[in-house]
Amino acid sequence: MSDVRHVLVLPDREAAEEVAGELPDRFGVTEEPQIVRDALAGEDDAEDAQWLVVVEDPASRLDSAALDAFAGEYEGWLEAP
C-alpha cells in the first residue's frame, strides 16, 4: 500500500464542508476527509483563508482528474502533489 493523499483547495468553509460530505457518495471514500483552514501567507483576515479537504487514498484508486473537476464545481481545484 502506498501513502497517497489528495488535497482539494476550496474558497470557503461551506464549500469545503459540502465537498467533504459528497466525497463518500461520489467517489466511495470510506475514511472521513479532514477539513483544514489554510490562511494565506501574511494574511490575518479570516476572509483571506482557503479551506483544504484532505482525502486519504491508500489504495491509489481515486482519479486525480475527476477530483479536480469535482473541486472545480465549487470554484476549487486539486492541489498538485
Side-chain angles (χ1 to χ4, degrees), residues 5-76:
R5 177 178 292 143
H6 303 281
V7 179
L8 289 81
V9 182
L10 288 302
D12 57 45
R13 183 180 186 147
E14 183 177 329
E17 289 174 346
E18 287 183 34
V19 164
E22 285 192 41
L23 281 166
D25 292 335
R26 298 230 355 216
F27 293 94
V29 172
T30 56
E31 291 187 36
E32 186 171 342
Q34 297 175 4
I35 299 174
V36 180
R37 180 181 178 271
D38 183 34
L40 300 176
E43 298 294 335
D44 293 327
D45 188 355
E47 295 298 317
D48 292 325
Q50 294 175 328
W51 289 81
L52 310 178
V53 176
V54 181
V55 183
E56 299 295 334
D57 185 17
S60 298
R61 63 173 194 77
L62 297 176
D63 181 333
S64 295
L67 286 171
D68 188 46
F70 176 56
E73 294 174 23
Y74 294 88
E75 299 180 16

